[in-house]
């Protein structure tokens, strides 16, 4: 190992130590100024997945989009434009992105696996922002799309980008008054 390699290695270690101290000082300063930061802020949740920001972990979402549609029947007319007839509201859809980063206190592989399991089970759950539920019904994960943005030399995912699509879950309601308990 040459003198230059030793000097570079020593410089890297010193720089890493200084940056780590600077990071800790900044976090300590922020925690003392904003007490809520050290306690963690719950932004909301999707079932048991808590969207949170703290000095230890960041699990948030971005690019939130909500789609509301109506269903119409189209009646064809000879020699004229079709007539639309309103049938009912259609189920809503929500999409958002999540970025999982090892350096932000979460395991991208575990977080994505948890989302995949919920999707495959078809488990209905509430989506909550702050303390308010979103929509009148529960939601199911229709799809989870993952892209690994950084992988280390051991094959571990360090950073992943996940696109989540939720569908409104409207349970079937049975009318016991009708003979045979038919669905309504």
């Amino acid at each position: 190992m040459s003198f230059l390699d030793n000097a570079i290695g020593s410089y890297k270690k010193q720089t890493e130590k200084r940056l780590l101290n600077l990071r800790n000082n900044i976090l300590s300063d922020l925690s003392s100024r904003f007490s809520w930061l050290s306690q963690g802020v719950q932004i909301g949740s999707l079932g048991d997945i808590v969207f949170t920001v703290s000095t230890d972990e960041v699990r948030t979402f971005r690019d939130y989009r909500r789609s509301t549609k109506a269903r119409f029947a189209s009646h064809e007319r000879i020699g004229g434009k079709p007539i639309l007839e309103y049938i009912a509201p259609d189920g809503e859809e929500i999409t958002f992105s999540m970025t999982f980063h090892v350096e932000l206190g979460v395991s991208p592989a575990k977080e994505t696996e948890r989302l995949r399991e919920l999707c495959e089970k078809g488990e209905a759950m509430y989506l909550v922002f702050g303390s308010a539920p979103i929509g009148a019904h529960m939601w199911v994960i229709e799809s989870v799309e993952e892209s690994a943005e950084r992988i280390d030399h051991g094959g571990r995912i360090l950073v992943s980008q996940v696109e989540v699509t939720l569908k409104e879950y409207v349970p079937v309601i049975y009318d016991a008054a009708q003979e045979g308990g038919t669905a309504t």
Side-chain angles (χ1 to χ4, degrees), residues 29-109:
D29 184 47
L30 287 173
S31 294
S32 66
R33 290 182 190 200
F34 306 104
S35 59
W36 56 265
L37 188 59
S38 61
Q39 298 166 355
V41 175
Q42 182 173 333
I43 299 166
S45 63
L46 173 62
D48 66 346
I49 298 172
V50 178
F51 304 122
T52 185
V53 176
S54 72
T55 55
D56 297 324
E57 72 178 8
V58 176
R59 183 182 302 104
T60 59
F61 59 90
R62 60 183 170 77
D63 300 329
Y64 170 85
R65 293 174 304 281
R66 183 174 177 180
S67 174
T68 304
K69 299 176 186 175
R71 290 183 291 153
F72 291 89
S74 179
H75 302 284
E76 298 297 325
R77 294 178 22 196
I78 296 174
K81 292 183 178 182
I83 297 174
L84 290 179
E85 180 181 5
Y86 174 76
I87 296 175
D90 204 356
E92 292 192 65
E93 184 176 288
I94 291 176
T95 59
F96 56 84
S97 302
M98 298 180 79
T99 300
F100 299 122
H101 201 299
V102 167
E103 292 177 5
L104 296 177
V106 295
S107 166

Side-chain angles (χ1 to χ4, degrees), residues 111-162:
E111 297 292 333
T112 306
E113 181 60 30
R114 196 159 104 187
L115 287 167
R116 270 198 229 92
E117 286 174 3
L118 289 170
C119 178
E120 290 175 352
K121 286 180 184 176
E123 184 176 323
M125 58 201 126
Y126 288 101
L127 176 63
V128 178
F129 291 170
S131 60
I134 303 301
H137 299 100
M138 297 173 90
W139 300 86
V140 292
I141 299 176
E142 181 184 48
S143 67
V144 176
E145 296 179 34
E146 174 190 19
S147 63
E149 294 184 0
R150 279 196 358 216
I151 300 173
D152 71 4
H153 65 281
R156 291 179 299 268
I157 298 172
L158 301 176
V159 181
S160 69
Q161 181 75 23
V162 179

